[in-house]
PDB file of all heavy atoms in Angstrom:
ATOM      1  N   GLU A 384      81.621   4.760 -48.695  1.00  0.00           N
ATOM      2  CA  GLU A 384      81.372   6.168 -48.854  1.00  0.00           C
ATOM      3  C   GLU A 384      79.979   6.522 -49.112  1.00  0.00           C
ATOM      4  O   GLU A 384      79.342   7.454 -48.650  1.00  0.00           O
ATOM      5  CB  GLU A 384      82.346   6.776 -49.886  1.00  0.00           C
ATOM      6  CG  GLU A 384      83.820   6.730 -49.497  1.00  0.00           C
ATOM      7  CD  GLU A 384      84.388   5.278 -49.595  1.00  0.00           C
ATOM      8  OE1 GLU A 384      83.768   4.472 -50.249  1.00  0.00           O
ATOM      9  OE2 GLU A 384      85.513   5.120 -48.977  1.00  0.00           O
ATOM     10  N   LEU A 385      79.472   5.870 -50.115  1.00  0.00           N
ATOM     11  CA  LEU A 385      78.015   6.121 -50.560  1.00  0.00           C
ATOM     12  C   LEU A 385      77.022   5.809 -49.432  1.00  0.00           C
ATOM     13  O   LEU A 385      76.109   6.530 -49.184  1.00  0.00           O
ATOM     14  CB  LEU A 385      77.631   5.234 -51.725  1.00  0.00           C
ATOM     15  CG  LEU A 385      76.173   5.436 -52.245  1.00  0.00           C
ATOM     16  CD1 LEU A 385      75.879   6.785 -52.607  1.00  0.00           C
ATOM     17  CD2 LEU A 385      75.863   4.438 -53.502  1.00  0.00           C
ATOM     18  N   ALA A 386      77.394   4.748 -48.720  1.00  0.00           N
ATOM     19  CA  ALA A 386      76.426   4.342 -47.504  1.00  0.00           C
ATOM     20  C   ALA A 386      76.526   5.484 -46.471  1.00  0.00           C
ATOM     21  O   ALA A 386      75.409   5.887 -45.942  1.00  0.00           O
ATOM     22  CB  ALA A 386      76.942   3.070 -46.911  1.00  0.00           C
ATOM     23  N   ILE A 387      77.644   6.151 -46.225  1.00  0.00           N
ATOM     24  CA  ILE A 387      77.721   7.193 -45.305  1.00  0.00           C
ATOM     25  C   ILE A 387      76.986   8.368 -45.842  1.00  0.00           C
ATOM     26  O   ILE A 387      76.268   9.060 -45.122  1.00  0.00           O
ATOM     27  CB  ILE A 387      79.263   7.518 -45.092  1.00  0.00           C
ATOM     28  CG1 ILE A 387      79.968   6.386 -44.245  1.00  0.00           C
ATOM     29  CG2 ILE A 387      79.476   8.892 -44.292  1.00  0.00           C
ATOM     30  CD1 ILE A 387      81.467   6.432 -44.241  1.00  0.00           C
ATOM     31  N   ALA A 388      77.169   8.684 -47.125  1.00  0.00           N
ATOM     32  CA  ALA A 388      76.484   9.796 -47.766  1.00  0.00           C
ATOM     33  C   ALA A 388      74.945   9.644 -47.711  1.00  0.00           C
ATOM     34  O   ALA A 388      74.289  10.589 -47.541  1.00  0.00           O
ATOM     35  CB  ALA A 388      77.013  10.008 -49.295  1.00  0.00           C
ATOM     36  N   LEU A 389      74.475   8.444 -47.845  1.00  0.00           N
ATOM     37  CA  LEU A 389      73.093   8.136 -47.786  1.00  0.00           C
ATOM     38  C   LEU A 389      72.515   8.409 -46.351  1.00  0.00           C
ATOM     39  O   LEU A 389      71.391   9.033 -46.241  1.00  0.00           O
ATOM     40  CB  LEU A 389      72.718   6.694 -48.232  1.00  0.00           C
ATOM     41  CG  LEU A 389      72.857   6.443 -49.779  1.00  0.00           C
ATOM     42  CD1 LEU A 389      72.859   4.915 -49.995  1.00  0.00           C
ATOM     43  CD2 LEU A 389      71.754   7.114 -50.507  1.00  0.00           C
ATOM     44  N   ASP A 390      73.141   7.900 -45.375  1.00  0.00           N
ATOM     45  CA  ASP A 390      72.751   8.243 -44.012  1.00  0.00           C
ATOM     46  C   ASP A 390      72.750   9.716 -43.746  1.00  0.00           C
ATOM     47  O   ASP A 390      71.898  10.252 -43.132  1.00  0.00           O
ATOM     48  CB  ASP A 390      73.717   7.560 -42.980  1.00  0.00           C
ATOM     49  CG  ASP A 390      73.148   6.088 -42.684  1.00  0.00           C
ATOM     50  OD1 ASP A 390      72.338   5.659 -43.496  1.00  0.00           O
ATOM     51  OD2 ASP A 390      73.648   5.541 -41.640  1.00  0.00           O
ATOM     52  N   THR A 391      73.824  10.415 -44.221  1.00  0.00           N
ATOM     53  CA  THR A 391      73.916  11.854 -44.034  1.00  0.00           C
ATOM     54  C   THR A 391      72.886  12.601 -44.686  1.00  0.00           C
ATOM     55  O   THR A 391      72.175  13.373 -44.106  1.00  0.00           O
ATOM     56  CB  THR A 391      75.359  12.278 -44.601  1.00  0.00           C
ATOM     57  OG1 THR A 391      76.386  11.500 -43.977  1.00  0.00           O
ATOM     58  CG2 THR A 391      75.606  13.738 -44.466  1.00  0.00           C
ATOM     59  N   GLU A 392      72.575  12.178 -45.943  1.00  0.00           N
ATOM     60  CA  GLU A 392      71.452  12.828 -46.665  1.00  0.00           C
ATOM     61  C   GLU A 392      70.093  12.631 -45.810  1.00  0.00           C
ATOM     62  O   GLU A 392      69.425  13.552 -45.722  1.00  0.00           O
ATOM     63  CB  GLU A 392      71.312  12.271 -48.097  1.00  0.00           C
ATOM     64  CG  GLU A 392      70.198  12.908 -48.820  1.00  0.00           C
ATOM     65  CD  GLU A 392      69.957  12.130 -50.248  1.00  0.00           C
ATOM     66  OE1 GLU A 392      70.233  10.952 -50.267  1.00  0.00           O
ATOM     67  OE2 GLU A 392      69.564  12.873 -51.171  1.00  0.00           O
ATOM     68  N   TYR A 393      69.898  11.399 -45.518  1.00  0.00           N
ATOM     69  CA  TYR A 393      68.590  11.113 -44.698  1.00  0.00           C
ATOM     70  C   TYR A 393      68.476  11.994 -43.526  1.00  0.00           C
ATOM     71  O   TYR A 393      67.408  12.566 -43.352  1.00  0.00           O
ATOM     72  CB  TYR A 393      68.660   9.577 -44.374  1.00  0.00           C
ATOM     73  CG  TYR A 393      67.392   9.221 -43.588  1.00  0.00           C
ATOM     74  CD1 TYR A 393      66.219   8.891 -44.277  1.00  0.00           C
ATOM     75  CD2 TYR A 393      67.498   9.167 -42.282  1.00  0.00           C
ATOM     76  CE1 TYR A 393      64.994   8.492 -43.506  1.00  0.00           C
ATOM     77  CE2 TYR A 393      66.220   8.918 -41.472  1.00  0.00           C
ATOM     78  CZ  TYR A 393      65.132   8.592 -42.163  1.00  0.00           C
ATOM     79  OH  TYR A 393      63.991   8.274 -41.412  1.00  0.00           O
ATOM     80  N   LEU A 394      69.586  12.076 -42.708  1.00  0.00           N
ATOM     81  CA  LEU A 394      69.498  12.818 -41.560  1.00  0.00           C
ATOM     82  C   LEU A 394      69.317  14.323 -41.773  1.00  0.00           C
ATOM     83  O   LEU A 394      68.564  14.933 -41.077  1.00  0.00           O
ATOM     84  CB  LEU A 394      70.705  12.645 -40.654  1.00  0.00           C
ATOM     85  CG  LEU A 394      70.770  11.287 -39.884  1.00  0.00           C
ATOM     86  CD1 LEU A 394      72.192  10.940 -39.360  1.00  0.00           C
ATOM     87  CD2 LEU A 394      69.812  11.297 -38.812  1.00  0.00           C
ATOM     88  N   VAL A 395      69.950  14.843 -42.895  1.00  0.00           N
ATOM     89  CA  VAL A 395      69.782  16.252 -43.157  1.00  0.00           C
ATOM     90  C   VAL A 395      68.432  16.544 -43.607  1.00  0.00           C
ATOM     91  O   VAL A 395      67.839  17.591 -43.138  1.00  0.00           O
ATOM     92  CB  VAL A 395      70.911  16.699 -44.267  1.00  0.00           C
ATOM     93  CG1 VAL A 395      70.659  18.079 -44.710  1.00  0.00           C
ATOM     94  CG2 VAL A 395      72.313  16.641 -43.634  1.00  0.00           C
ATOM     95  N   ARG A 396      67.855  15.723 -44.507  1.00  0.00           N
ATOM     96  CA  ARG A 396      66.510  15.930 -44.991  1.00  0.00           C
ATOM     97  C   ARG A 396      65.502  15.828 -44.036  1.00  0.00           C
ATOM     98  O   ARG A 396      64.450  16.437 -43.998  1.00  0.00           O
ATOM     99  CB  ARG A 396      66.205  14.919 -46.101  1.00  0.00           C
ATOM    100  CG  ARG A 396      66.893  15.191 -47.401  1.00  0.00           C
ATOM    101  CD  ARG A 396      66.270  14.574 -48.623  1.00  0.00           C
ATOM    102  NE  ARG A 396      67.152  14.616 -49.751  1.00  0.00           N
ATOM    103  CZ  ARG A 396      67.380  15.696 -50.513  1.00  0.00           C
ATOM    104  NH1 ARG A 396      66.753  16.789 -50.280  1.00  0.00           N
ATOM    105  NH2 ARG A 396      68.116  15.595 -51.615  1.00  0.00           N
ATOM    106  N   ASN A 397      65.720  14.978 -42.922  1.00  0.00           N
ATOM    107  CA  ASN A 397      64.698  14.726 -41.815  1.00  0.00           C
ATOM    108  C   ASN A 397      64.994  15.516 -40.501  1.00  0.00           C
ATOM    109  O   ASN A 397      64.433  15.253 -39.572  1.00  0.00           O
ATOM    110  CB  ASN A 397      64.581  13.299 -41.571  1.00  0.00           C
ATOM    111  CG  ASN A 397      63.951  12.533 -42.743  1.00  0.00           C
ATOM    112  OD1 ASN A 397      62.831  12.617 -43.054  1.00  0.00           O
ATOM    113  ND2 ASN A 397      64.950  11.822 -43.550  1.00  0.00           N
ATOM    114  N   ALA A 398      65.907  16.490 -40.611  1.00  0.00           N
ATOM    115  CA  ALA A 398      66.302  17.173 -39.432  1.00  0.00           C
ATOM    116  C   ALA A 398      65.197  18.160 -39.001  1.00  0.00           C
ATOM    117  O   ALA A 398      64.509  18.740 -39.795  1.00  0.00           O
ATOM    118  CB  ALA A 398      67.638  17.914 -39.636  1.00  0.00           C
TER     119      ALA A 398
END
Side-chain angles (χ1 to χ4, degrees):
E384 291 77 16
L385 177 60
I387 291 169
L389 286 166
D390 269 18
T391 301
E392 180 187 33
Y393 177 83
L394 285 168
V395 172
R396 287 204 193 280
N397 292 286

